[in-house]
Amino acid sequence: MHATYVTVTIVAALFTGLAAGTYLTGHDYPKAQADMKRLPRSWVPRLGLCLAAGALGLLAGFAVPLAGVLAAAGLVLYFVGALIAHLRVGSRQLIGWAVFFTTAVAALVVNIAHL
């Protein structure tokens, strides 16, 4: 179980950290997504900070297990909000969302089990 916990947590932190990097470096994809979802572009860096905090929180969970659980729960809520934003504008492009959401849920499950 410990190997699963470590692997899933690292994969979730990696995925989330890479997404945060695209949001924080001014990549065109997050800007296009914000435009498609009719969100202000000023939100893009803030959303990137939320993703970065989630990734760092998952890694901090190795030292403080409760931090990992809270970070994973926060990421699950973040991606529920992303789903709502997609559905609000009628977007059915949910494959990327599903990958990130599933990874966040898996991280939450293994972090709770490890706690």
Side-chain angles (χ1 to χ4, degrees), residues 26-104:
H27 194 274
D28 288 336
Y29 180 75
K31 292 176 187 174
Q33 287 293 305
D35 292 343
M36 184 265 299
K37 294 172 191 146
R38 296 191 294 263
L39 298 173
R41 282 197 176 186
S42 63
W43 286 20
V44 172
R46 293 178 183 119
L47 294 171
L49 287 174
C50 290
L51 290 168
L56 292 173
L58 287 174
L59 296 176
F62 289 127
V64 181
L66 183 59
V69 171
L70 295 174
L75 287 171
V76 168
L77 292 174
Y78 176 94
F79 289 114
V80 167
L83 175 63
I84 292 167
H86 273 277
L87 297 177
R88 182 177 59 89
V89 296
S91 171
R92 299 295 183 253
Q93 299 172 357
L94 298 174
I95 292 181
W97 170 84
V99 170
F100 281 98
F101 181 73
T102 303
T103 305

